[in-house]
Amino acid sequence: MKDFNPNAPANPNSGIFGLPYNSNESEVILIQVPWDATASHKTKTALAPAAILSASKQVDLFHYKFGNLYSRGIYLESINSEIKKIKNKTSKVSAKNRTQLNQLTTKLEKIIYLDVKKILKEGKIPGIIGGDHSVSLGAIKACSDEKEIGVLQFDAHADLRKSFDGIKHSHASIMFNVINESKIINLTQIGVREFCQEEFDFIKSNNKIKTYFDRELFNRKSEGESWRTISAEIINNLPEYLYISLDIDFFDIKLCPNTGTPVPGGLDYNEFLYFVESVATVKKIIGFDLVEVSPNPVNQLDESIGARALYELCLCALKSKSLNSNNYRD
Ligand SMILES: [Mn+2]
């Protein structure tokens, strides 16, 4: 700890973002889930936690809006041995054996659920580093047991398919499963720009879901509405307690060229920062995840953007937790 200089390059033996804090000293606890068994395309999402950890050492700690909030501690747990076991088993299962794959993903969900539950019990903020988008389910279930939460999903896709390719817990069905299996009171989707009719009909028929399609956001901005006005409208309709799920493909493909299903469009990075920082000053973020980052060994762009977006989520969650003197667990 005494060697820590927040202005200097990260010590190679330091923790995530070059921070010196241990688990006891940290209010944000990150869990890594190197999992891509349900990804549609060949991606390297399972390699994301390690690549993000490595890229995180380059992130400057001082934050434009929140200063040195990192001093409240961010800690990355080592990979849960149970997750390693499931991953090993999965690698031996034929991709065609849907029954077995569904059983293993259900087991994984329970492990994540228990890990997140434990972090919440300690009054801390859990953050999940995926992995494909299916890793969110256990975390959201645990958070929705704790508080009446809404999920704020940043994603190019609606992820509301009833099942995808015979896989119940597919990345493409994550929010369908969240709606049906967790206790969330609201799902707000931002930036969605690829979806099927079944998903569109589901959005329109389910009053828990509010989707701000990418085209709608673009059109409103084009016709003169400010991002401030649009953000305020969205944020005013959110419940008090939130879980944020950030799929990296939410951003324009120039920021995540290696992700499994990139789609053109999406918000600018600064618009994202403006939005989540606004959320952090009026709502309480009790948990979050970053998913679908697919490392690119050539330019390391996806993991560098991912590390910065993750840092932003950590600080926004910390900021939101200190809104008043009460701990969010009341
Ligand atoms: Mn997604």
Side-chain angles (χ1 to χ4, degrees):
M1 182 74 116
K2 57 183 180 296
D3 296 334
F4 175 60
N5 174 358
N7 301 305
N11 180 324
N13 301 319
S14 59
I16 192 160
F17 303 116
L19 293 171
Y21 310 114
N22 64 30
S23 169
N24 289 334
E25 295 162 336
S26 298
E27 286 184 52
V28 172
I29 305 292
L30 300 172
I31 296 175
Q32 33 187 336
V33 188
W35 177 261
D36 60 3
T38 86
S40 319
H41 302 286
K42 262 267 158 281
T43 67
K44 299 192 177 69
T45 310
L47 304 176
I52 288 171
L53 170 61
S54 169
S56 78
K57 308 277 173 92
Q58 305 297 326
V59 176
D60 261 324
L61 292 171
F62 191 77
H63 189 274
Y64 176 76
K65 195 149 182 205
F66 301 140
N68 62 358
L69 208 54
Y70 60 82
S71 62
R72 283 167 54 197
I74 303 167
Y75 178 76
L76 175 68
E77 283 188 349
S78 52
I79 304 172
N80 183 323
S81 59
E82 293 293 312
I83 293 180
K84 280 188 188 161
K85 270 189 221 162
I86 301 271
K87 201 169 140 45
N88 282 340
K89 276 190 197 162
T90 310
S91 62
K92 289 171 196 133
V93 172
S94 155
K96 291 191 186 99
N97 191 337
R98 298 303 194 221
T99 311
Q100 221 176 341
L101 198 56
N102 283 333
Q103 283 167 354
L104 288 168
T105 51
T106 304
K107 271 191 190 159
L108 177 79
E109 179 206 316
K110 287 203 179 108
I111 296 165
I112 298 170
Y113 172 85
L114 292 173
D115 275 354
V116 169
K117 203 130 196 149
K118 187 168 155 274
I119 295 166
L120 290 168
K121 285 273 169 292
E122 290 167 354
K124 300 186 176 192
I125 302 162
I128 319 303
I129 310 175
D132 70 37
H133 212 155
S134 69
V135 306
S136 307
L137 184 59
I140 293 174
K141 277 189 181 176
C143 290
S144 75
D145 280 356
E146 195 76 13
K147 284 284 177 197
E148 284 200 335
I149 59 161
V151 168
L152 180 57
Q153 175 197 2
F154 297 92
D155 205 317
H157 307 89
D159 293 348
L160 289 167
R161 291 171 194 265
K162 287 191 178 119
S163 82
F164 192 65
D165 212 13
I167 306 172
K168 184 171 177 283
H169 287 124
S170 163
H171 66 104
S173 306
I174 171 63
M175 293 305 162
F176 181 81
N177 294 327
V178 162
I179 287 283
N180 286 298
E181 297 179 29
S182 79
K183 298 174 192 152
I184 68 160
I185 55 170
N186 167 273
L187 168 65
T188 299
Q189 307 183 299
I190 317 275
V192 172
R193 51 198 185 273
E194 244 185 14
F195 45 88
C196 66
Q197 167 112 43
E198 180 188 272
E199 292 178 293
F200 186 76
D201 294 344
F202 188 67
I203 289 167
K204 294 297 167 197
S205 68
N206 193 311
N207 58 15
K208 270 190 199 170
I209 308 174
K210 176 66 188 159
T211 304
Y212 293 88
F213 294 99
D214 193 48
R215 291 291 302 274
E216 178 198 334
L217 297 176
F218 179 82
N219 290 347
R220 287 176 65 175
K221 285 185 287 181
S222 302
E223 286 160 17
E225 272 190 82
S226 71
W227 183 231
R228 180 188 180 184
T229 306
I230 301 169
S231 302
E233 176 196 308
I234 299 172
I235 294 167
N236 282 338
N237 288 322
L238 295 172
E240 186 182 0
Y241 296 95
L242 293 171
Y243 178 97
I244 294 185
S245 187
L246 172 59
D247 185 323
I248 197 83
D249 71 24
F250 160 76
F251 294 117
D252 187 84
I253 47 177
K254 67 178 186 282
L255 298 177
C256 52
N258 216 37
T259 195
T261 36
V263 193
L267 289 185
D268 184 77
Y269 191 73
N270 281 322
E271 288 176 315
F272 168 74
L273 299 184
Y274 180 88
F275 187 91
V276 285
E277 287 164 12
S278 306
V279 170
T281 52
V282 288
K283 304 289 176 183
K284 295 191 179 72
I285 301 161
I286 75 161
F288 60 87
D289 63 56
L290 169 67
V291 297
E292 303 287 350
V293 174
S294 188
N296 183 339
V298 179
N299 59 15
Q300 296 168 2
L301 184 62
D302 299 61
E303 55 269 48
S304 298
I305 305 292
R308 283 163 177 82
L310 180 71
Y311 188 64
E312 178 72 13
L313 290 177
C314 291
L315 261 57
C316 283
L318 282 168
K319 176 68 188 174
S320 77
K321 195 178 172 216
S322 54
L323 280 181
N324 54 44
S325 54
N326 294 331
N327 187 297
Y328 64 80
R329 286 168 56 80
D330 300 333

